[in-house]
């Protein structure tokens, strides 16, 4: 794991996991979930059709098979005494990055991903991660949906966390 030392505005040193072990910030999380068929590819518009991509498809109930990023967090924690930040994709962004052939409603799919994210985030916290950051570039694209169900899904993903949490609305799409 390659860790990157960051200096926050408050002067607190934080080491981030650097996402070095993940091919993609969303697909790295999806790789250890049940209900996703990576062989069944679907072409779809992403970020409100800003670009088209061939994506995996949800074909059954979404559940964690087990720890997704525990090895990365453990390795990063072993290499620093500084506060450790780990990033996870937000539920709305996952929904916008994968095809759904099972749930039928984006809201239901987002809540299923929020449950899996929450289990992962709680495990990362128990492993010594000090900051969990959810990356939600979709928040800057789907303003109505953010209010309708995006914030609720994000809150579900963070439920029970006592570590610092952050949300990163990437890319400046707005």
């Amino acid at each position: 794991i390659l860790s990157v030392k960051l200096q926050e505005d408050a002067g607190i040193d934080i080491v981030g996991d650097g996402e070095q072990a993940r091919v993609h910030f969303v697909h790295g999380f999806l790789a250890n979930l049940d209900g996703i068929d990576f062989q069944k590819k679907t072409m779809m518009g992403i970020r409100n059709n800003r670009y088209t991509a061939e994506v995996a498809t949800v074909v059954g109930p979404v559940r964690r098979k087990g720890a997704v990023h525990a090895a990365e967090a453990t390795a990063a924690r072993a290499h620093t005494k500084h506060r450790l930040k780990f990033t996870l994709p937000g539920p709305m962004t996952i929904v916008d990055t994968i095809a759904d052939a099972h749930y039928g409603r984006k809201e239901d799919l987002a809540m299923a991903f929020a449950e899996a994210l929450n289990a992962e985030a709680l495990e990362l916290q128990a492993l010594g991660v000090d900051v969990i950051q959810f990356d939600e570039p979709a928040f800057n694209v789907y303003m109505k949906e953010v209010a309708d169900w995006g914030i609720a899904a994000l809150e579900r993903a963070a439920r029970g966390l006592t570590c610092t949490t952050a949300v990163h609305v990437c890319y400046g799409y707005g």
Side-chain angles (χ1 to χ4, degrees):
I1 298 287
L2 173 64
S3 296
V4 179
K5 184 176 176 185
L6 305 172
Q7 183 72 28
E8 283 194 334
D9 291 338
I12 300 170
D13 288 332
I14 294 182
V15 175
D17 71 314
E19 300 187 42
Q20 299 302 311
R22 293 173 259 179
V23 174
H24 185 276
F25 82 108
V26 172
H27 298 128
F29 179 71
L30 299 179
N32 205 29
L33 300 182
D34 281 327
I36 299 171
D37 186 341
F38 286 92
Q39 303 306 311
K40 182 178 181 180
K41 299 290 187 175
T42 303
M43 290 297 290
M44 65 178 263
I46 296 178
R47 308 299 184 267
N48 202 17
N49 297 312
R50 297 233 158 87
Y51 64 96
T52 303
E54 189 175 52
V55 300
T57 304
V58 175
V59 296
V62 170
R63 290 187 185 88
R64 275 189 346 147
K65 296 176 190 175
V68 178
H69 297 302
E72 296 144 271
T74 300
R77 177 79 287 156
H79 285 87
T80 186
K81 301 278 188 237
H82 294 281
R83 291 175 31 136
L84 179 63
K85 178 178 83 169
F86 205 96
T87 59
L88 293 171
M92 178 177 256
T93 295
I94 295 174
V95 167
D96 191 48
T97 312
I98 193 164
D100 177 22
H102 177 74
Y103 287 90
R105 286 177 18 127
K106 289 182 178 189
E107 298 92 322
D108 296 337
L109 182 58
M111 286 302 179
F113 282 121
E115 291 287 333
L117 285 161
N118 182 251
E120 183 71 13
L122 289 168
E123 184 172 326
L124 292 171
Q125 175 181 266
L127 291 170
V129 172
D130 301 293
V131 179
I132 303 287
Q133 175 177 299
F134 293 98
D135 287 348
E136 278 287 23
F139 269 28
N140 210 354
V141 180
Y142 303 104
M143 301 302 184
K144 181 181 180 323
E145 291 83 353
V146 168
D148 290 347
W149 55 268
I151 291 172
L154 181 61
E155 288 174 342
R156 178 61 196 102
R159 185 181 300 161
L161 291 172
T162 56
C163 67
T164 300
T165 58
V167 180
H168 178 60
V169 181
C170 326
Y171 303 128
Y173 284 141

